[in-house]
Amino acid sequence: MLLLEVIYSRQHRPDDDLSVRYYARMLFREIQRDVVLLPMFREYMQRPVQHLNVPEAFYLMSLWMVPEQTDNRESNLHTCYSKIAGLVLDELRGRLPEHPAAAWTTCKKNPFGPTMWTDDQTLKLLNAMNVVLYDQLALMKEGRTGGRIGFRTEHAAGMLGVNLHNVQLPHSSMICWHKADGEEYLFIDVVRRGMRLSWEQVTEELNADHPEVDLQMLEPFPRAGLLRRLINGAVHPDARRPGTGFDLISLETLACWARSDCRPNTAAIVDLMSTMARARPMYTRRLLQQFVETNGSLVAENERRGLEALMKHFKRMYKRLVRSLDEQEAEVQELADLRAAGRAVGDYRRQFGVGDVVTYGDGCLAVVYGCSPYYEISQDWTANSRVCSGLQRGHKQPFYSLLLEGDRFGYMAEEELQLSPDPQPISHQEVGRFFTRFDGERYAPIAPLAIRFPEPLCEHETKANFVESSTDGSDSEWEDDVGDEEDDRRPSPPTVWMGVWPAMLPEDSDDEDTDG
């Protein structure tokens, strides 16, 4: 709850504390997925097929994609579906008081489970639902798509004890209901005000419009393996789907679990080690340790020794990772000390600074989060690819790393950019990774970024002391300010933050040489 208070605190303005809220969100997502959501996926995937439900599968995936919105999202959806189901119960009480559902004081809390009624009782309940959806709520007059109405119908019907199914046919407005008597399906066309069609009627219409379509596509969407299909589809990067690199790793991790129905068996452990070892070595080690403790009697002695060697290897990987982070902090601190002593390091003339909001193309907005003195690719590759052939100044000009609208990244030459005359906040999920706030004119970079990329040199500045940077190996020259005048347009960089990296847990430490 503390992390959610940071993410959604009313004390924050939308453009303040970007970095704090970004990392709070990342931390909350990792904890929520590991501790809360993974057990929910495991419970769902290990149920009998008859107890699986399509809306629940989609709902679980929505929770995994945006864990921090679980409470708000669930509350809004539940309110919508409960309202529809409540109106249907009112309709039943008025028209069919003898129906068993009319005696309910409220609808089910969730839409999952088999149909509770006889075929005749189900048809009467669906009649009442049609009255509510198409007469009282007039959904078809609001321009909604068949898919959205179908999902509402399916979900609300589930809360009233009727189990409806999606069909496999893409972009279909059909949902179907499996009658209790026999193997017959009844099809419901949500676009045509809930019209009911038999198998023969549906196939006749489908053959007339799309004779090449496989009629098997009219079968209910297979519940067994549905969640795995959704997960595998989400793993592939999609520019239209928001998410960070951390989110993609989490989806790959979930895909590994899904291949074994979230059971920690040998195949799952092997997949998880190949996916997560570099990014989360200690998490991988603990999974491996749990596997050994759980399956100790089934693991051969030579396999056990091999697994124990792997656990030690992951421990060494973690220590090297921590040491690498400490070295990066030391480099930033060294650079900060040089700046504090008035000795400039490795800067070069450029027009834009980190945090500037710029425009490119037809006025599209972007924000600078990094820069280099020239195109940072080998000259041979640059010549062969001709990526700089259309630039008047060629590749020997500053290039900028950019956050673009729509969660995209860019790398553009200085001549392609202009300082935005009307700076606006950028819509990008990674903005808090690089910046602390937006002051209405530009973004304030986090402390290490501000130190690595000082503000651009002005034209009146002159050359001064040259110091070779140990952080980037640059042999460029620095220039000191002339006079005591300050640039009022740009705030000074904040003091570097020297955080303490998390220590290992007691059970993770040993007396071995960390490098072997």
Side-chain angles (χ1 to χ4, degrees), residues 7-8 14 17-27 29 33 62 64-69 238-248 250-251 367 369 402-409 425-435 443:
I7 297 171
Y8 295 115
D17 298 321
L18 300 175
S19 187
V20 172
R21 285 186 285 148
Y22 171 84
Y23 286 103
R25 181 178 294 109
M26 293 299 103
L27 183 58
R29 288 183 176 184
R33 285 164 177 161
S62 70
W64 191 273
M65 300 294 286
V66 191
E68 70 272 16
Q69 295 186 10
D238 186 346
R240 297 168 297 178
R241 184 181 66 242
T244 66
F246 302 110
D247 295 322
L248 182 57
S250 80
L251 286 170
V367 58
Y369 73 91
L402 306 168
L403 299 181
L404 312 179
E405 290 278 0
D407 297 321
R408 296 177 296 121
F409 293 85
I426 301 296
S427 175
H428 199 292
Q429 292 222 14
E430 294 280 85
V431 69
R433 180 179 175 184
F434 305 101
F435 304 104
Y443 282 91

Side-chain angles (χ1 to χ4, degrees), residues 169-386:
L169 186 65
H171 311 296
S172 174
S173 60
M174 296 285 184
I175 54 178
C176 64
W177 162 58
H178 185 255
K179 292 185 176 180
D181 299 332
E183 297 297 325
E184 184 180 356
Y185 284 103
L186 181 68
F187 293 87
I188 302 171
D189 191 335
V190 296
V191 171
R192 291 186 283 181
R193 297 178 59 86
M195 178 186 292
R196 297 167 191 164
L197 302 168
S198 66
W199 173 271
E200 291 76 13
Q201 291 172 315
V202 172
T203 54
E204 183 180 353
E205 290 186 2
L206 190 60
N207 283 327
D209 296 333
H210 306 284
E212 73 285 354
V213 173
D214 184 358
L215 295 182
Q216 291 295 321
M217 300 297 288
L218 290 175
E219 291 290 333
F221 206 96
R223 300 184 177 192
L226 168 63
L227 197 51
R228 283 193 294 273
R229 294 177 64 175
L230 292 176
I231 293 169
N232 291 333
V235 168
H236 301 289
D238 186 346
R240 297 168 297 178
R241 184 181 66 242
T244 66
F246 302 110
D247 295 322
L248 182 57
I249 292 176
S250 80
L251 286 170
E252 292 173 347
T253 303
L254 182 60
C256 293
W257 280 114
R259 284 192 281 272
S260 62
D261 288 341
C262 291
R263 293 181 172 91
N265 55 28
T266 304
I269 293 298
V270 171
D271 280 351
L272 288 166
M273 284 193 298
S274 62
T275 301
M276 302 182 59
R278 291 179 61 85
R280 300 179 66 184
M282 290 309 296
Y283 178 83
T284 309
R285 176 188 178 276
R286 288 165 189 160
L287 287 177
L288 194 57
Q289 187 173 17
Q290 292 172 8
F291 174 79
V292 172
E293 293 172 353
T294 304
N295 302 278
S297 60
L298 304 176
V299 178
E301 184 60 29
N302 61 333
E303 292 178 342
R304 177 189 292 275
R305 288 196 297 267
L307 294 176
E308 290 174 350
L310 273 175
M311 286 190 282
K312 293 179 181 178
H313 171 67
F314 291 142
K315 189 183 299 184
R316 289 193 293 268
M317 287 180 61
Y318 172 75
K319 292 178 179 179
R320 286 196 293 268
L321 178 62
V322 172
R323 188 162 58 247
S324 173
L325 294 173
D326 287 336
E327 290 171 355
Q328 293 180 36
E329 287 260 330
E331 290 176 357
V332 173
Q333 183 61 64
E334 179 185 358
L335 195 54
D337 293 341
L338 289 171
R339 297 195 188 287
R343 304 175 66 195
V345 183
D347 202 9
Y348 48 89
R349 291 190 180 277
R350 62 186 188 278
Q351 184 178 352
F352 308 111
V354 168
D356 279 340
V357 179
V358 297
T359 61
Y360 66 96
D362 295 328
C364 301
L365 290 177
V367 58
V368 177
Y369 73 91
C371 51
S372 55
Y374 48 81
Y375 193 67
E376 289 188 326
I377 303 291
S378 67
Q379 294 184 4
D380 291 341
W381 189 93
T382 303
N384 293 332
S385 64
R386 298 185 178 180

Side-chain angles (χ1 to χ4, degrees), residues 151-170:
F151 192 81
R152 290 187 178 200
T153 303
E154 182 181 3
H155 213 90
M159 300 179 78
L160 294 167
V162 178
N163 194 3
L164 300 179
H165 308 266
N166 296 98
V167 298
Q168 298 183 50
L169 186 65

